[in-house]
Amino acid sequence: MIFLDFVALWITVYFLVDRLNVVPSVWERLALAFAFALGLKSLVLFALMALGLPLDIFIQTAVSCTALVLVALIRWKQSHRMTVSIPPSKSSLNISVICVLGVLLLLSLGNAGFFPITEADGIWYHVRGILFAHEAKFDSATMNAQFRQYPPFVPLVFAYSISFGHEKIKLIFPLLYLCLLALFYFRVMEETKNSKVAGAFALVLGTTPYFWWHSALPFLDLTAGFYYSVGSLYWFFLIQRILTQDHPALNAESRSLAIISGTFFGIAAWTRLEFLLYNAIPLLLLIAALHRNTAIPKKERNKVLLSFAVPLLFFSSLWFLTLVTFDSALERRVLAVACVCVGLWFVVLASLKWHFKLTNKRWVVIGGLGAGFYLVLMIVAGPQSVSLGKALLIALTRSLSVHAFYAMTAVLIFFLFWQDLKKLPETKKLLGVFLILYPLAHFAIFSYSEPKWPHLAAYVDAVVIHPGHSINLSDTRAMLAFYPLLVFFIAGLPLVQNGFAVTNRPWIAKSVYGIIAGNLVVLSIVFIFPRVQFFLSHSNLTHVQLSETRGSGDMPNQFSKTYAVANRLRQLTPEDATLFMPPGDRQEGSFRSAVIQVLYPRRIVFGDDVGFENKLNASQVKPTYTVFSAEWHPEFCGERPRIPLNDSGFGMCRLDS
């Protein structure tokens, strides 16, 4: 059933992408349509929940099939000019690219299907998807208050699979990894017209260990990085048309590219809230480019801007309006991003009415004002646990050290030292400005937030001595959106293109192949071998049994003991039970997420919840159980029969017996 529903939606969106008439390859259209279809499905589910309707599979399928019929009828009645497809090259290099990336994709799919969701943040996203699927509520009291305010895209995708009874919900991430590589290849091909360059740099991106690792992890970051980086690629081609456009007839293509890139940027912020801040970069640069080309009439300029800005800001605005309906107060960070969203709407409206000619001097003034505002913000509302100087130093360390986790791909930056950057076209220079502004925004965001460790030495230790402590921090994951654009920029340098075309510069191609080889070595040793080894020694276990193991070496399972207790409780208690548990938040971390993930829909009351003892004494719901340990109120059971929960030191008894 889920296959019928999604294929109908996929075909529908494919027809719409085809109508945009700016994507020359069928394979590129398919990848674009897949990504768009996920975004559209999330909006359908969001609408159902907003209307108070359950995520019924028949309603979902009816919507998808109806949309397909309507779009097919419109397509049949209207004439349509098909674009010319660029046939993929069958060179030995591209065959090698397909083979290597195909093996990595299969390994990623195998990982996503074999490993259960036991990663800390991933569990909460899974829990949220479960709550969406079964309760159809955005503000469920069962959900952690912090994660409740996160944008809903990935949990909605999880809810989509769960509502159809499909439990292999992590399979979506390898497919996004595949779409990223396909879209990256065709965009490089469009820019360079060189299949060797496109194939080699797609291989660089695909073998980057951090990307492959996240292609099987249930986090928000690969999804946000995918949508943001792909949006950036199409944004670049939009800028190309704007800066070289001297005839209004070309604006149809510009609007199509604006819709694609703006929608992808919007879905990135629909996934992780801070990406709305990163979205300010392409929006402001687009406004500057539109006002620079005076050959574009104001009416046409405004059409392009609205085609880009409306989808970019729509998703975030929709979520902020939803958050207003929550009973809980907005977190400070969420409120700050909401203010930025309002500010960007004002910037767009002002740009529609007035003409801004941004000279270099004015850019310097804007940069100075921005830096001054940032410092004032840091002084007034910055981190409270450390001083301003230490916060900036820690943020600088974090911003520089994260690149170590992208292995050999980060070495591409050295090609810039051999390229005469002054001779680059204006569009490439603007892309370079984008690549400078993104790390600056990254620095500003992670210097504003409270540091994980209050001492700089702790960060040095986490990067150099114990890299496993920082490899999955949010600042490291945020660079997933940066590297595809960086690799694209390097691939488009004249130096690199000539190096693949001219035989007297073999060192360039050899350097790229060396980076690929280095990535594969790191990828194999750090990620693939530990996972394959774990699979071979645990292939006979079920998902429930796997959740009780220590996990693979690259992603240890910190909740193995919690899962052992929770799985036993699931066997011993009915779904309508109420369970009184020990405190869910401890010094070594919270186990609430894993308990809720396993025991839902049972009602769970943790020992550190407000009014725990009053709820315990007043509980008249049957059946009711309490979980105890030697340190946590064994006296609650009195003389009632006690059942040990494995060898964990915990036990349970039924209170209403």
Side-chain angles (χ1 to χ4, degrees):
M1 193 74 169
I2 190 173
F3 180 79
L4 171 64
D5 175 77
F6 189 77
V7 168
L9 196 62
W10 191 2
I11 296 173
T12 301
V13 179
Y14 178 86
F15 287 156
L16 297 176
V17 169
D18 191 40
R19 289 292 301 177
L20 294 175
N21 209 35
V22 290
V23 183
S25 169
V26 172
W27 297 108
E28 186 177 2
R29 291 181 208 144
L30 285 170
L32 265 181
F34 182 87
F36 271 123
L38 285 178
L40 181 58
K41 170 56 70 173
S42 73
L43 285 178
V44 171
L45 298 180
F46 183 92
L48 291 176
M49 293 176 63
L51 294 172
L53 298 174
L55 304 188
D56 184 81
I57 61 175
F58 297 104
I59 296 177
Q60 294 185 53
T61 306
V63 170
S64 299
C65 292
T66 302
L68 175 59
V69 171
L70 291 175
V71 171
L73 287 174
I74 294 172
R75 179 184 172 87
W76 177 64
K77 289 183 178 181
Q78 295 180 355
S79 60
H80 177 60
R81 179 176 61 86
M82 294 292 292
T83 54
V84 179
S85 175
I86 301 176
S89 171
K90 296 183 179 179
S91 66
S92 58
L93 173 61
N94 281 350
I95 293 174
S96 301
V97 170
I98 293 172
C99 291
V100 173
L101 296 182
V103 170
L104 292 179
L105 176 64
L106 291 175
L107 288 171
S108 179
L109 287 167
N111 277 321
F114 178 74
F115 287 92
I117 296 179
T118 58
E119 299 85 357
D121 288 357
I123 299 172
W124 276 122
Y125 308 142
H126 186 203
V127 168
R128 201 172 177 207
I130 292 172
L131 296 174
F132 282 176
H134 294 288
E135 298 182 7
K137 291 171 56 180
F138 295 114
D139 194 17
S140 173
T142 306
M143 189 65 198
N144 173 285
Q146 175 188 352
F147 287 93
R148 202 184 306 165
Q149 297 186 12
Y150 280 21
F153 179 62
V154 168
L156 283 172
V157 174
F158 284 177
Y160 174 48
S161 289
I162 294 168
S163 65
F164 278 86
H166 182 72
E167 293 298 328
K168 303 284 187 180
I169 58 179
K170 289 203 296 183
L171 292 176
I172 188 65
F173 300 106
L175 296 178
L176 288 178
Y177 170 75
L178 172 63
C179 288
L180 173 63
L181 297 178
L183 293 171
F184 178 86
Y185 172 85
F186 286 109
R187 287 296 95 191
V188 176
M189 187 72 176
E190 178 77 8
E191 172 65 7
T192 65
K193 304 297 187 291
N194 189 321
S195 63
K196 288 184 178 180
V197 173
F201 280 86
L203 201 53
V204 169
L205 185 63
T207 58
T208 302
Y210 204 73
F211 273 93
W212 182 88
W213 189 49
H214 271 268
S215 70
L217 296 180
F219 298 137
L220 308 179
D221 308 278
L222 178 70
T223 306
F226 163 75
Y227 280 100
Y228 190 88
S229 58
V230 171
S232 302
L233 297 179
Y234 287 94
W235 172 89
F236 170 73
F237 288 94
L238 169 63
I239 292 296
Q240 272 190 336
R241 281 167 170 76
I242 290 172
L243 293 181
T244 59
Q245 183 167 305
D246 55 6
H247 194 280
L250 295 176
N251 272 323
E253 291 186 358
S254 298
R255 289 195 296 272
S256 295
L257 288 169
I259 291 171
I260 294 173
S261 57
T263 303
F264 271 70
F265 283 129
I267 297 177
W270 184 239
T271 307
R272 280 187 64 177
L273 204 57
E274 64 266 32
F275 272 86
L276 180 66
L277 306 178
Y278 293 119
N279 283 349
I281 300 171
L283 178 60
L284 296 177
L285 290 178
L286 175 66
I287 291 173
L290 284 169
H291 287 276
R292 179 175 296 186
N293 190 343
T294 55
I296 305 175
K298 181 179 179 180
K299 183 178 180 180
E300 297 298 326
R301 182 187 72 207
N302 288 349
K303 286 181 180 179
V304 173
L305 178 58
L306 287 174
S307 298
F308 180 81
V310 170
L312 183 146
L313 296 173
F314 166 77
F315 292 92
S316 299
S317 302
L318 181 62
W319 183 241
F320 289 130
L321 291 174
T322 304
L323 289 177
V324 173
T325 66
F326 283 19
D327 293 331
S328 56
L330 292 181
E331 290 190 357
R332 186 185 69 173
R333 291 179 300 172
V334 175
L335 190 59
V337 178
C339 292
V340 172
C341 184
V342 174
L344 291 177
W345 276 115
F346 277 113
V347 169
V348 172
L349 293 175
S351 181
L352 293 174
K353 184 171 180 59
W354 293 294
H355 179 78
F356 299 104
K357 187 176 181 181
L358 297 175
T359 62
N360 291 336
K361 290 183 179 180
R362 290 180 179 178
W363 275 115
V364 172
V365 172
I366 292 173
L369 291 175
F373 175 77
Y374 163 73
L375 289 175
V376 171
L377 184 65
M378 286 290 292
I379 294 171
V380 174
Q384 303 299 313
S385 60
V386 295
S387 64
L388 175 61
K390 185 176 288 188
L392 295 175
L393 188 58
I394 289 175
L396 180 61
T397 303
R398 295 173 71 177
S399 296
L400 295 176
S401 62
V402 294
H403 299 283
F405 295 111
Y406 288 84
M408 299 300 294
T409 304
V411 178
L412 287 173
I413 197 76
F414 288 103
F415 279 113
L416 296 176
F417 293 101
W418 283 277
Q419 174 68 53
D420 188 353
L421 300 178
K422 293 181 180 179
K423 294 183 179 180
L424 291 179
E426 187 177 9
T427 53
K428 289 284 180 62
K429 290 179 180 178
L430 200 59
L431 182 60
V433 172
F434 191 122
L435 289 170
I436 293 172
L437 291 177
Y438 188 96
L440 289 176
H442 180 274
F443 169 80
I445 291 170
F446 289 99
S447 60
Y448 176 75
S449 59
E450 290 288 343
K452 184 177 179 63
W453 298 292
H455 303 291
L456 180 61
Y459 282 94
V460 176
D461 176 81
V463 173
V464 180
I465 309 301
H466 301 99
H469 294 173
S470 58
I471 190 173
N472 209 31
L473 292 182
S474 55
D475 50 354
T476 310
R477 301 195 303 255
M479 299 306 289
L480 285 167
F482 171 79
Y483 267 88
L485 194 59
L486 173 65
V487 177
F488 176 84
F489 180 78
I490 299 298
L493 292 177
L495 171 78
V496 173
Q497 294 183 55
N498 292 336
F500 276 83
V502 182
T503 55
N504 62 357
R505 287 187 177 178
W507 67 271
I508 294 177
K510 289 181 179 179
S511 298
V512 174
Y513 299 145
I515 289 172
I516 295 169
N519 278 343
L520 285 172
V521 170
V522 175
L523 176 59
S524 300
I525 294 174
V526 178
F527 297 118
I528 294 180
F529 289 165
R531 295 216 156 207
V532 171
Q533 184 181 21
F534 183 88
F535 171 79
L536 294 176
S537 58
H538 298 83
S539 58
N540 60 328
L541 300 184
T542 64
H543 263 201
V544 172
Q545 293 171 322
L546 286 170
S547 68
E548 299 178 12
T549 66
R550 294 184 176 275
S552 61
D554 64 301
M555 182 57 75
N557 178 12
Q558 67 187 83
F559 299 111
S560 57
K561 294 181 179 179
T562 300
Y563 279 115
V565 173
N567 289 331
R568 181 62 175 153
L569 286 170
R570 186 177 185 179
Q571 294 173 349
L572 296 173
T573 60
E575 289 189 352
D576 61 344
T578 297
L579 281 78
F580 289 89
M581 301 286 295
D585 299 312
R586 300 184 175 184
Q587 187 174 2
E588 61 271 18
S590 172
F591 65 86
R592 288 173 177 263
S593 57
V595 171
I596 298 172
Q597 179 192 33
V598 174
L599 296 179
Y600 185 85
R602 296 161 183 82
R603 177 173 175 256
I604 302 169
V605 183
F606 291 95
D608 48 354
D609 288 348
V610 177
F612 172 81
E613 292 198 11
N614 292 334
K615 294 176 183 177
L616 179 64
N617 296 329
S619 178
Q620 298 179 352
V621 180
K622 295 183 179 182
T624 303
Y625 302 84
T626 184
V627 177
F628 65 88
S629 67
E631 297 81 22
W632 178 255
H633 297 296
E635 70 275 8
F636 284 167
C637 290
E639 300 300 324
R640 299 178 183 90
R642 305 184 183 196
I643 303 173
L645 300 175
N646 303 327
D647 57 352
S648 61
F650 290 93
M652 64 166 283
C653 64
R654 182 166 179 172
L655 296 179
D656 62 302
S657 60

